[in-house]
Amino acid sequence: MDFKNMRQALVIVPPPPSRFTLSEWYLNNRHRYKTAEDQQQIAERVIAESDRLRDLIADVTKLNKIEVDTRLEERIKDTEHLKKENELQKAECCKEEEALLVYKERIMDALEALKEQALKICKKCIILREGRLGIDLVHDDVESELLKEVETIEGAQSLLRRTLEQTNEQIRLLRSTKYFLDRDNEDKTNALNIDMYCASLQETSLNLSMYHGIAPLDGSNVTKEEWEHFSKQFIERAAREVNNARPLRSYIDTLLKQITEDLLNQYNITNEAFRRRIAETRETKIKLENEHHETLRQANEMMRNITRLEKAIAEKEGFMALAHTRLGHRAQRSAVELTKDEVETRLIAEVRELRDNVSALQQMLAEAQASLRYLLKTQVQLEEDINIKANTLKIDEVDCMTLRESMNFHAY
């Protein structure tokens, strides 16, 4: 057997156990008793504390859940209240928007009527009256009132266009407010659904789960005061826009009424100016026609007078020839018979008187012919004036007044 095998064959014998004294034995037993009793007391305290703590935590947990449930109910009520206010204000906004759209149509109808009817007719009347002739192409009251009417219509159009811009802007503001109310309403509806679902959950519900993520579950960064302010500002804005829309509608009512009254008043004034001018023109035309009739009568009478004067002159030539012939024959007397007797004296006087009378008749004939020329010229001028007045009457009474009958100013 070699050395290695010898070592394996060796058996290690353990040392003998320690020996204790009897005192140590008693002391060890007392220590075990004491330790057991101490651990038992500690266990009793732990059990008692555990029972107390478990009961306390159970109560606190129940109270916390009750508190959370109460807060959830309050939150749901607050959200429902603001949501209801939101919906009420949205309904008011919708009503005002619809009303303003009606008023917008009224303004646009008024603008269209003024542009396509009243203004065109007034300007056409002004253009038609440029067709008056001669002396009748005058700056009269009708022209002045027509220009005032155009100015009134254009002023009304300007006011209506500005009011239309204000109406469009107010409609835009109402629609913008509705958009934000809708968004806030959607957010509140979503929040209500979440909170009501949370309120329905109990600790025994089956669809509960534990969150093991690292991001905090409390993602809220808005305070309750900020939430209330944010929610109420849309409601307040909606109320403000509704309050702005109502006076605007009242203003539009007043404006349309005032514009209609102003336009109708100027329309009546212009028509009255037309009537006065037409009556004045007709009266003048009648007087001119009467003068024309009298002038024509005078011209005819003057022509007959000229004929009589010419006839009288022609007749006097026969008497003149008779007197000259007698004087010529009596100049052939001879000797003492060639006497300047009463016959010769009378014949010479007759010739002189005939010559003076013919001269007077010829002068009167020249005056009569000149008067006839003036009468005929006056007749032509009167005819021209009558035609001018007839043209003016046609323009004012037939053309313009017929056009103006289609002008209709009513409560738009």
Side-chain angles (χ1 to χ4, degrees), residues 147-372:
L147 293 174
K148 286 182 184 178
E149 193 167 37
V150 169
E151 183 180 352
T152 303
I153 293 170
E154 289 177 344
Q157 286 179 318
S158 178
L159 278 173
L160 288 172
R161 279 192 289 267
R162 287 200 298 270
T163 306
L164 181 60
E165 291 175 0
Q166 294 175 0
T167 305
N168 286 331
E169 176 62 16
Q170 190 59 48
I171 291 172
R172 186 194 68 79
L173 290 173
L174 285 169
R175 287 175 176 171
S176 173
T177 302
K178 281 170 53 184
Y179 169 76
F180 286 108
L181 286 173
D182 285 337
R183 285 186 55 185
D184 190 51
N185 194 36
E186 289 176 3
D187 292 340
K188 283 181 169 48
T189 300
N190 184 46
L192 270 176
N193 291 335
I194 292 172
D195 285 347
M196 292 174 71
Y197 174 72
C198 290
S200 68
L201 291 176
Q202 300 296 326
E203 68 275 9
T204 57
S205 299
L206 297 177
N207 52 347
L208 303 180
S209 62
M210 296 294 293
Y211 176 70
H212 299 288
I214 58 175
L217 276 172
D218 184 10
S220 302
N221 55 4
V222 178
T223 65
K224 182 179 179 182
E225 290 75 15
E226 290 173 338
W227 173 78
E228 289 179 350
H229 174 72
F230 183 81
S231 299
K232 288 181 179 178
Q233 70 176 356
F234 294 123
I235 296 172
E236 291 171 356
R237 177 185 173 184
R240 186 168 58 252
E241 296 304 337
V242 168
N243 289 334
N244 289 338
R246 287 169 181 167
L248 179 59
R249 288 195 289 113
S250 177
Y251 169 73
I252 293 171
D253 274 330
T254 304
L255 177 64
L256 289 174
K257 181 180 178 181
Q258 187 62 50
I259 284 176
T260 303
E261 289 178 357
D262 292 344
L263 291 173
L264 188 58
N265 182 55
Q266 185 59 41
Y267 169 78
N268 292 330
I269 291 173
T270 305
N271 282 355
E272 183 59 29
F274 263 110
R275 283 189 286 270
R276 288 197 307 271
R277 186 61 177 164
I278 289 168
E280 186 179 14
T281 304
R282 182 179 288 109
E283 182 182 357
T284 303
K285 180 174 177 288
I286 291 172
K287 288 181 179 179
L288 287 172
E289 288 171 344
N290 291 336
E291 292 297 328
H292 176 267
H293 178 73
E294 182 63 23
T295 301
L296 184 60
R297 188 189 66 77
Q298 288 284 356
N300 292 331
E301 182 63 28
M302 188 60 68
M303 290 175 67
R304 289 191 291 270
N305 181 48
I306 290 171
T307 301
R308 289 194 298 270
L309 286 172
E310 289 174 344
K311 182 179 179 181
I313 292 171
E315 289 175 349
K316 299 306 178 285
E317 288 177 355
F319 287 100
M320 181 68 74
L322 175 62
H324 282 182
T325 301
R326 285 176 175 177
L327 283 172
H329 283 296
R330 296 188 85 244
Q332 295 176 8
R333 292 174 298 168
S334 59
V336 73
E337 293 299 323
L338 190 60
T339 303
K340 191 175 183 179
D341 53 10
E342 291 179 357
V343 174
E344 184 176 355
T345 302
R346 187 58 196 161
L347 281 172
I348 293 172
E350 184 183 11
V351 168
R352 185 170 56 251
E353 287 180 4
L354 282 171
R355 188 181 294 115
D356 291 341
N357 290 337
V358 169
S359 177
L361 287 171
Q362 287 175 340
Q363 183 178 356
M364 184 56 65
L365 177 63
E367 290 180 6
Q369 290 172 339
S371 176
L372 178 62

